[in-house]
Amino acid sequence: MTSVYLAVVFALFMRSMQFGSYDNMIENSVKLSTGHIQIHKNGYWNDKSINNTFANDESIMKKINSIEEVTTTVPRLESFALASSGNFTKGTLVIGINPSLENKLNELADKIISGEYLSENDGSAVVAEKLAEYLHVTVGDTIILLGQGYHGITAAGAYHIKGILKMPVPEMNKQLVYLSLPETQYLYATGDMVTSYSIILSSNDYLDDSIEKLKSFLDEKEYEVMPWQTMNREMVQAIEGDNAGGIIMLAILYLIIGFGIFGTVMMMTIERKKEFAVLVAIGMQRSKLAWIVFLESLIISSISVIIGIILSIPLLYYLHLNPIPLSGDLAKTLEQFGVEAILPFSIDSYFFFEQAAIVFVLSVLAALYPIFVINKFTVIKSLRD
Amino acid sequence: MSIIKVENLVKIYNSGAVPVTAVDGINVEFEKGEFTSIVGPSGCGKTTFLNMLGGLDEPSKGRIVIDSIDISKLKSKQLIDFRLHNIGFVFQAFNLIPVLTVKENIEFIMQLQGISAEEREKRVDVLLEQVGLLDRKNDRPNKLSGGQQQRVAVARALAAKPKFILADEPTANLDSKSTENLLDIMLKLNKTEETTFIFATHDNRVMKKARRLLVLEDGKIIKDEK
């Protein structure tokens, strides 16, 4: 019994950690950059030019927000510019945002480490921490943004730095400048144009369904609707690679668990061989005895699996609420993938059932051993033992 | 009238380098209501003979006919069923099921026979009364002494109302008082219920109480005293 419930606890712990990491990667990526779904002008993803923009249409926004699974839609205007201060210049990604909607989406205001967050129609800029360090600027200073605007117009502007923010993803922390959407539209002379609508869903599970709904009213010739997986191919590949490794690890764990359970069942069978021999000697059919022992194993396995789940829930729930912070090389590697260096745990009910079912099946397979023994053992020899 | 007829029974073990003949051409009959001891030195073939009588071991040659049925021709499943309805066993090491109570140990065999709960309950009480353990009905075997456990084993063997009971060294693990007590109970059952008992034993106390002695040597009956 102990071997089975410990097996469930180990398997759940491992899978929870793995799925928790993926959820964290997806959540980071989705909230901080792409959203679950993005709508662009058709062709924008392959040619991210400021000319591939579309009109910020209130009626489309309303339709998008009317989809039940959509929690937030944020319009963005993104382009590149050179940021300069004194003798320092660096290429940056300028993102024009609706400050309140964006904050609702990814809690940007909480990431401000000095100064203040943007307000609606703000004429100031918020600069990422490492970029500010590179440019040797701080709150109250001015940076110059210089780039190419709509249809070749020169985009240039001087912006008062209202706040410095620290992004959890190092790449973003080195190159981001946030402006309010109207100010960005003015800088790039796009008028009321945006490069994307980023859509957040209540759950990633509704992704395909929501894309279908969006496509039902958006002109495919005019707009492209993209899931986060298409926009984050590297992360998807990283997850797939890690998952494959995880499955191998899990297979090894199952092998160990399987042998553990089998060893326990084997010991139990050997210990009870004399008892089985007595029962057969006094007149119990081997098939009946085998069935009873099999049922007994099933009941013990079921109870053990339930105990394993009950024991795992508080532990995994605690770790779900309090992820383990990572440090060292592992943390650096994760940050390179744009993932926060924490070890979060998932409490998705799906894998609870999956792991419990796998361990249960292993127990059932192990329970075939006593059936084999009962059908083969010699009564006389076992009575003598 | 004989209930067991053994004809030219031979058992040869081929497991070692040299074949060993454990039982060598035994011919014997047992009557209903006998109280018989099979005696002889260690390795003379007592237990092998008893195991073949109980259908637990297969003869190499010969046949055992019980109530006109040649059990050496029965298939495994038929043999188990035959044992259930016709033969009771008392083992040297008691062999009670440790997780079952005294009552459940006795009742179990009747459950296999498909006897109703009410009838089982009555018979358990009667048997426990006969072996003097009615007050220990709900105890587990580990709470009982060796003698008491063997009395439960006798009650279990009687539960199925068998044609005969085979007991292999039933007193080997008992002190003299428990042996005396057990033998008295078995003799009483033999008289009142006409239960046939066949023992394999070394124990002089058992031999003294037996009404028939079969002496075995080198797998052969060398003496049959009634």
Side-chain angles (χ1 to χ4, degrees):
Chain A
M1 198 177 215
T2 310
S3 66
V4 177
Y5 74 67
L6 283 179
V8 173
V9 171
F10 281 134
L12 284 177
F13 186 83
M14 195 165 160
R15 219 48 184 155
S16 168
M17 192 165 68
Q18 207 173 11
F19 281 123
S21 301
Y22 302 156
D23 287 347
N24 185 45
M25 284 165 88
I26 294 165
E27 199 179 328
N28 271 255
S29 166
V30 161
K31 279 195 170 179
L32 289 173
S33 60
T34 59
H36 286 107
I37 301 168
Q38 272 193 8
I39 297 170
H40 314 124
K41 185 181 178 181
N42 203 357
Y44 171 79
W45 195 251
N46 290 328
D47 178 16
K48 291 189 189 74
S49 156
I50 192 75
N51 297 328
N52 278 333
T53 49
F54 61 94
N56 186 9
D57 189 335
E58 277 295 317
S59 64
I60 290 177
M61 285 272 277
K62 272 185 186 168
K63 276 187 183 173
I64 296 169
N65 287 327
S66 70
I67 296 171
E68 203 185 335
E69 295 82 11
V70 172
T71 55
T72 319
T73 306
V74 293
R76 286 176 185 157
L77 179 64
E78 295 181 23
S79 192
F80 296 95
L82 284 172
S84 175
S85 174
N87 292 327
F88 301 98
T89 304
K90 195 172 191 292
T92 61
L93 176 63
V94 178
I95 305 181
I97 56 170
N98 178 319
S100 58
L101 282 179
E102 198 77 25
N103 190 44
K104 207 170 131 190
L105 170 74
N106 55 25
E107 291 150 357
L108 261 190
D110 293 344
K111 295 179 176 67
I112 296 284
I113 53 170
S114 68
E116 286 174 37
Y117 182 57
L118 294 171
S119 56
E120 310 297 315
N121 303 318
D122 208 314
S124 311
V126 165
V127 179
E129 182 197 20
K130 292 289 172 190
L131 176 63
E133 277 176 25
Y134 182 85
L135 296 174
H136 292 81
V137 291
T138 186
V139 175
D141 291 342
T142 299
I143 56 164
I144 307 296
L145 294 178
L146 183 65
Q148 187 182 323
Y150 198 54
H151 291 295
I153 288 173
T154 300
Y159 295 94
H160 164 79
I161 297 172
K162 192 175 182 181
I164 307 284
L165 50 71
K166 184 176 183 174
M167 301 301 286
V169 181
E171 275 310 302
M172 295 172 109
N173 208 29
K174 284 180 201 164
Q175 59 171 358
L176 271 186
V177 175
Y178 282 108
L179 299 175
S180 69
L181 184 60
E183 193 56 47
T184 317
Q185 287 167 333
Y186 179 75
L187 171 67
Y188 290 104
T190 58
D192 193 26
M193 305 291 263
V194 290
T195 48
S196 65
Y197 284 151
S198 289
I199 298 166
I200 297 290
L201 304 174
S202 51
S203 163
N204 192 44
D205 297 341
Y206 303 127
L207 190 70
D208 294 340
D209 198 30
S210 303
I211 287 174
E212 284 308 307
K213 286 178 183 170
L214 287 167
K215 282 184 174 173
S216 70
F217 63 81
L218 288 171
D219 182 356
E220 274 188 56
K221 284 181 188 166
E222 194 67 28
Y223 300 98
E224 57 189 19
V225 181
M226 282 191 172
W228 62 268
Q229 293 96 325
T230 311
M231 296 177 281
N232 289 288
R233 286 194 193 280
E234 282 178 3
M235 191 178 75
V236 172
Q237 282 166 2
I239 289 176
E240 283 171 354
D242 188 77
N243 194 30
I247 287 169
I248 292 168
M249 284 297 292
L250 215 59
I252 294 168
L253 180 71
Y254 289 145
L255 207 68
I256 296 165
I257 289 170
F259 274 112
I261 295 171
F262 181 72
T264 311
V265 171
M266 199 166 78
M267 284 296 292
M268 179 212 76
T269 308
I270 291 166
E271 277 174 14
R272 293 177 70 187
K273 226 169 162 182
K274 192 168 186 177
E275 181 185 322
F276 296 158
V278 171
L279 292 171
V280 175
I282 65 173
M284 188 174 199
Q285 291 292 350
R286 287 174 192 256
S287 54
K288 200 170 198 172
L289 177 60
W291 176 239
I292 287 173
V293 172
F294 184 69
L295 275 182
E296 187 185 89
S297 298
L298 284 191
I299 292 166
I300 291 172
S301 302
S302 307
I303 293 170
S304 309
V305 165
I306 291 166
I307 292 174
I309 291 175
I310 291 170
L311 287 178
S312 302
I313 288 172
L315 173 73
L316 297 181
Y317 189 67
Y318 174 79
L319 291 167
H320 174 72
L321 295 178
N322 304 282
I324 301 166
L326 297 173
S327 57
D329 289 345
L330 182 61
K332 280 179 190 164
T333 310
L334 283 172
E335 282 172 348
Q336 277 167 4
F337 281 110
V339 180
E340 271 184 278
I342 55 170
L343 201 56
F345 285 72
S346 172
I347 48 167
D348 192 342
S349 58
Y350 156 74
F351 73 85
F352 272 79
F353 290 116
E354 182 199 62
Q355 297 312 307
I358 290 171
V359 174
F360 183 75
V361 169
L362 287 174
S363 311
V364 171
L365 287 176
L368 295 176
Y369 176 73
I371 294 178
F372 174 77
V373 169
I374 288 166
N375 282 304
K376 293 281 170 200
F377 78 95
T378 316
V379 174
I380 293 290
K381 204 174 161 219
S382 304
L383 279 174
R384 222 177 281 146
D385 292 343
Chain B
M1 183 197 154
S2 69
I3 55 163
I4 307 169
K5 195 175 179 186
V6 179
E7 292 174 5
N8 193 30
L9 197 69
V10 176
K11 180 70 187 179
I12 302 167
Y13 290 110
N14 290 307
S15 52
V18 182
V20 175
T21 306
V23 172
D24 191 5
I26 289 180
N27 288 288
V28 70
E29 290 186 21
F30 296 94
E31 307 282 325
K32 184 171 168 59
E34 272 192 22
F35 200 79
T36 303
S37 279
I38 303 168
V39 298
S42 290
C44 70
K46 301 187 295 284
T47 300
T48 307
F49 178 46
L50 210 67
N51 286 338
M52 286 193 286
L53 279 182
L56 297 175
D57 207 353
E58 256 179 76
S60 306
K61 271 185 206 166
R63 57 187 210 135
I64 299 164
V65 180
I66 300 170
D67 259 4
S68 317
I69 297 168
D70 182 353
I71 65 162
S72 33
K73 284 187 180 162
L74 294 178
K75 287 179 182 164
S76 171
K77 279 189 173 184
Q78 291 171 319
L79 200 54
I80 293 172
D81 210 41
F82 184 84
R83 285 202 298 266
L84 174 65
H85 294 284
N86 297 285
I87 309 171
F89 290 93
V90 177
F91 304 98
Q92 179 180 337
F94 327 134
N95 289 342
L96 298 175
I97 308 297
V99 291
L100 302 181
T101 62
V102 165
K103 178 193 166 215
E104 288 161 348
N105 262 289
I106 299 168
E107 201 179 16
F108 183 75
I109 199 159
M110 291 187 274
Q111 253 176 316
L112 292 175
Q113 288 181 316
I115 294 169
S116 71
E118 200 186 343
E119 209 177 317
R120 290 198 310 257
E121 185 82 35
K122 277 185 200 166
R123 183 137 177 87
V124 167
D125 285 352
V126 169
L127 289 166
L128 283 175
E129 181 81 63
Q130 284 173 333
V131 298
L133 288 171
L134 192 56
D135 56 331
R136 310 304 298 268
K137 192 174 165 181
N138 296 313
D139 287 337
R140 289 192 197 281
N142 61 357
K143 301 262 177 183
L144 306 179
S145 68
Q148 288 171 326
Q149 286 191 51
Q150 198 61 303
R151 276 146 65 190
V152 175
V154 170
R156 178 178 68 182
L158 286 163
K161 295 186 176 169
K163 290 200 169 66
F164 59 95
I165 288 176
L166 299 174
D168 188 8
E169 305 279 7
T171 56
N173 292 339
L174 304 183
D175 57 35
S176 52
K177 197 180 167 193
S178 300
T179 301
E180 205 61 39
N181 196 341
L182 184 77
L183 287 170
D184 287 345
I185 288 167
M186 291 203 276
L187 270 171
K188 194 174 143 199
L189 289 166
N190 172 252
K191 279 176 190 159
T192 55
E193 301 209 0
E194 273 197 273
T195 312
T196 309
F197 282 90
I198 303 170
F199 304 91
T201 187
H202 279 109
D203 193 334
N204 285 328
R205 293 164 299 188
V206 182
M207 291 180 214
K208 277 179 198 163
K209 301 260 180 184
R211 288 200 292 272
R212 182 182 180 190
L213 271 183
L214 285 178
V215 184
L216 255 68
E217 204 174 280
D218 296 331
K220 289 181 174 129
I221 296 175
I222 57 161
K223 203 193 260 180
D224 186 353
E225 277 181 13
K226 284 190 186 173

